[in-house]
Each structure stands twice: as C-alpha cells, then as structure tokens.
Amino acid sequence: IFEQWHRGITLYTWLSYHFPSTFTAVDESFAIKEECENTIQMGLLSLRKPNRENTGGNTDEYVKQDENKSIRKALGIY
C-alpha cells in the first residue's frame, strides 16, 4: 500500500515540475513522500530478525515484538 502511495506522490511531484499552475501542493507532497518513505523503512526494519552476532548479543536495537506486529498489521503483512 505504501509503495503505491509513494509512486503516486512521486508522480504528483514530477507533474508539479511540468505543470506548476495545476499541481500546486509541492511542499505537502514532499512531506507526505518523506513520511511514506519512513513508514516503508520502519516496516522493512521490523522484518529483520535479531542477530546476536551482529549486535554483540544486544537485541534492544530492534523494534519490540509487539511493535513489529503493529507495523506488520499496518502494512498488511501477517
């Protein structure tokens, strides 16, 4: 879902450069695009499994399991 939003926002931004009098919400589109990218990044990071070798045994760097479930649910991944 977020990838589709990102594509749409990217298209809007491109159109705003070519038709600035029609597509005027450029600042808003950049803000939405950044929020969408951050959400996609959080979703991808939540899919990573803790690897004790890479973290020196500390798995606190990763999102908690309950938060993983919430993010996956928001992204439609079960």
Side-chain angles (χ1 to χ4, degrees):
I1 293 174
F2 289 107
E3 290 176 1
Q4 292 172 345
W5 285 357
H6 189 268
R7 286 185 198 132
I9 294 163
T10 302
L11 174 61
Y12 185 94
T13 304
W14 183 87
L15 289 168
S16 72
Y17 288 119
H18 296 280
F19 306 101
S21 60
T22 305
F23 298 91
T24 58
V26 179
D27 293 334
E28 292 88 348
S29 69
F30 278 117
I32 294 169
K33 182 176 179 266
E34 184 175 344
E35 186 176 335
C36 188
E37 289 171 349
N38 290 338
T39 303
I40 291 170
Q41 184 67 24
M42 282 180 22
L44 292 172
L45 288 174
S46 74
L47 298 175
R48 294 176 67 186
K49 294 182 180 178
N51 185 343
R52 291 185 183 270
E53 293 173 7
N54 292 341
T55 62
N58 182 6
T59 58
D60 292 337
E61 296 176 21
Y62 294 94
V63 181
K64 295 178 184 175
Q65 190 66 23
D66 290 341
E67 292 173 336
N68 283 347
K69 290 178 185 176
S70 299
I71 292 170
R72 288 181 183 173
K73 186 175 181 180
L75 294 173
I77 302 170
Y78 299 100

